[in-house]
Amino acid sequence: MTHAHDDHGDHGHGHIHLQYEPALPLNNGKLCLWLFLSTEIMFFAALIGTYIVIRFGAPDGTWPQPHDVHLTEIWGAVNTFVLICSSVSIVLAMESARAQRPGAAKRWMVVTLILGSVFLGIKAFEYNAKFAHGIYPRKPHSLIYDRANYDYAAAVRQTLAERVGHYDEMRANDQKLSEADQARRDLCNDLQKGLVEWSETEAANSQAAVVSQSALYDIADAIYPRHNVHSRLAEDLPAIEAKVADLKGRVAQLQATEAELKKQTAADGTNPQAAELSRLSGELLAITGKLTAAQQRQRALELVKESPHGLNHRFAEEGGFRPWLILPMMIPSGNMWASTYFLLTGFHAIHVLVGLIMFAMVLPLRLDTTKGNLLENIGLYWHFVDIVWIFLFPLLYLF
């Protein structure tokens, strides 16, 4: 008779011991971090998704190209490489801590901190390039206009008039203008009269809508030429030079005739040529006014010719971080671009800064095996920051 055995020894197995796990197989710190990252993923997914809809929903040719808004692909690529290297260094720091090598772990944490700081430094350099050219959101209206229309021309004219008025007020208050200030005052006056008001008059007097629109776009192209957009203003310089020369000749001729009549009148002691003198004076006044306007136009076009990258770029180079003058510019969808760019990169930069603060807080600690889980959690957060930038780089810099 075969006896049954209660144990499983005949089958080569011992007793099975089950242990109840009262929670997830994660420590509390990692669980809280994953919950936090899940909300951050949804947050950035909404922002990136919104940008994709806006960017690829814009009609062809109405979204700024990277060069139009001073985005340089190489700097974006360098920042991408920097963040990828920092993700490697944070992993090496964690592995060194778990291998009971606190000195190596601390060195890798310092490397990660430096790389993250380099990322923010490059981003600050990129922001400065946009601030110096007036590319940023501002309430109630930034310096960016989507179209070159009469409102845009009026904004440029008002900006120049305010600058001229500022220098005139200084002179009225018995403040002697320096040579640099006087040159800037004359430059603004020439641009106001010879560029903006000249183009506005040309647009208003033209019966053809294409010619009117072209005249207004001349203002925008002179101030801030977009990538691959050719400005025709420099080509008008020979014609205006010939006009100035012709007007100077007519003025000289009229002045000679007027002087001769005055000489005859003085010799006769009478004034039989009074009507002719009056007519000559009126004609001379009108021709002189035309000559002054043509000379202002000539000086404005010469300035445009000397500024192949636009007047704003010229002013930015002269003034550095704080240009002495930034004129309103025309960038199709420029305000929308600026709002989305600074929103996306700004929030990402804040997350990078938070990561750097965490690195700085753990550096004074002894990074041994007891700190392995802490470094793992910090590394997870840093990897998330890196992945977000991997999405932002091609969207903002390559499309």
Side-chain angles (χ1 to χ4, degrees):
M1 182 176 181
T2 304
H3 298 281
H5 297 280
D6 292 335
D7 59 78
H8 302 282
D10 293 342
H11 302 284
H13 299 284
H15 290 288
I16 299 175
H17 298 283
L18 300 178
Q19 183 177 356
Y20 174 69
E21 180 66 45
L24 294 174
L26 296 173
N27 58 60
N28 292 336
K30 186 180 291 187
L31 176 62
C32 292
L33 179 65
W34 276 115
L35 289 175
F36 169 74
L37 290 182
S38 65
T39 61
E40 291 294 284
I41 290 170
M42 290 186 287
F43 175 74
F44 275 101
L47 289 180
I48 293 174
T50 301
Y51 177 83
I52 291 174
V53 171
I54 294 174
R55 164 64 185 90
F56 295 100
D60 292 339
T62 62
W63 192 259
Q65 296 299 311
H67 294 289
D68 293 338
V69 287
H70 298 275
L71 267 186
T72 306
E73 294 88 342
I74 185 62
W75 289 120
V78 169
N79 258 354
T80 303
F81 178 74
V82 166
L83 277 190
I84 291 175
C85 290
S86 68
S87 289
V88 175
S89 62
I90 190 77
V91 171
L92 293 175
M94 180 192 69
E95 293 299 329
S96 297
R98 287 180 172 173
Q100 198 58 29
R101 290 186 292 142
K106 184 163 294 189
R107 286 193 293 272
W108 284 118
M109 285 299 297
V110 171
V111 171
T112 308
L113 179 61
I114 292 174
L115 290 173
S117 300
V118 169
F119 176 90
L120 287 184
I122 293 176
K123 185 53 62 181
F125 171 78
E126 289 187 299
Y127 275 16
N128 177 48
K130 291 152 191 61
F131 294 155
H133 290 83
I135 301 176
Y136 49 83
R138 189 174 69 176
K139 186 179 181 181
H141 197 288
S142 72
L143 296 175
I144 303 173
Y145 285 75
D146 291 338
R147 293 179 298 173
N149 50 21
Y150 286 104
D151 290 336
Y152 168 73
V156 178
R157 175 165 36 81
Q158 181 179 357
T159 302
L160 291 169
E162 289 174 354
R163 179 62 62 171
V164 172
H166 168 71
Y167 290 122
D168 290 344
E169 184 179 355
M170 291 174 58
R171 192 157 48 191
N173 294 332
D174 296 329
Q175 297 183 26
K176 184 178 180 180
L177 295 180
S178 64
E179 291 185 4
D181 287 340
Q182 183 61 47
R184 289 176 175 178
R185 191 264 178 205
D186 294 340
L187 183 148
C188 291
N189 188 62
D190 288 338
L191 289 178
Q192 179 187 351
K193 304 294 185 181
L195 177 64
V196 183
E197 293 185 7
W198 183 288
S199 298
E200 284 182 312
T201 302
E202 184 179 351
N205 293 337
S206 175
Q207 299 297 324
V210 175
V211 176
S212 297
Q213 188 65 52
S214 178
L216 296 176
Y217 268 84
D218 284 343
I219 303 173
D221 294 338
I223 294 171
Y224 194 87
R226 289 168 294 149
H227 189 57
N228 293 330
V229 174
H230 175 70
S231 175
R232 67 176 181 86
L233 278 179
E235 301 171 0
D236 294 342
L237 187 56
I240 199 67
E241 289 175 342
K243 184 175 182 179
V244 167
D246 178 64
L247 289 173
K248 283 183 176 179
R250 292 174 63 184
V251 167
Q253 184 180 8
L254 289 173
Q255 288 176 337
T257 304
E258 184 183 41
E260 182 65 25
L261 289 176
K262 288 181 179 179
K263 184 178 179 181
Q264 292 177 7
T265 300
D268 296 342
T270 60
N271 194 14
Q273 307 292 341
E276 183 64 17
L277 277 174
S278 178
R279 185 190 67 80
L280 281 176
S281 298
E283 185 177 356
L284 182 60
L285 183 62
I287 296 298
T288 303
K290 291 181 180 180
L291 175 60
T292 301
Q295 288 174 327
Q296 290 174 328
R297 177 66 169 177
Q298 179 182 355
R299 289 193 293 267
L301 294 186
E302 288 174 345
L303 185 64
V304 171
K305 185 178 181 179
E306 295 169 0
S307 310
H309 300 294
L311 296 172
N312 273 2
H313 185 78
R314 178 193 181 105
F315 301 147
E317 287 186 334
E318 293 176 352
F321 181 72
R322 297 178 64 88
W324 68 275
L325 177 63
I326 302 179
L327 296 173
M329 68 207 81
M330 191 277 294
I331 306 176
S333 301
N335 283 303
M336 182 60 70
W337 180 90
S339 298
T340 54
Y341 171 81
F342 284 103
L343 180 65
L344 287 168
T345 58
F347 270 113
H348 180 262
I350 291 174
H351 284 73
V352 173
L353 181 61
V354 170
L356 298 185
I357 293 173
M358 291 191 294
F359 299 154
M361 291 177 64
V362 300
L363 275 178
L365 305 177
R366 177 178 171 80
L367 303 180
D368 53 16
T369 54
T370 61
K371 302 298 186 297
N373 288 337
L374 174 62
L375 293 184
E376 182 182 8
N377 291 339
I378 295 176
L380 285 174
Y381 172 83
W382 194 249
H383 293 326
F384 165 76
V385 172
D386 189 5
I387 291 172
V388 170
W389 180 255
I390 295 296
F391 282 95
L392 293 181
F393 168 61
L395 283 175
L396 296 175
Y397 288 79
L398 304 181
F399 296 100

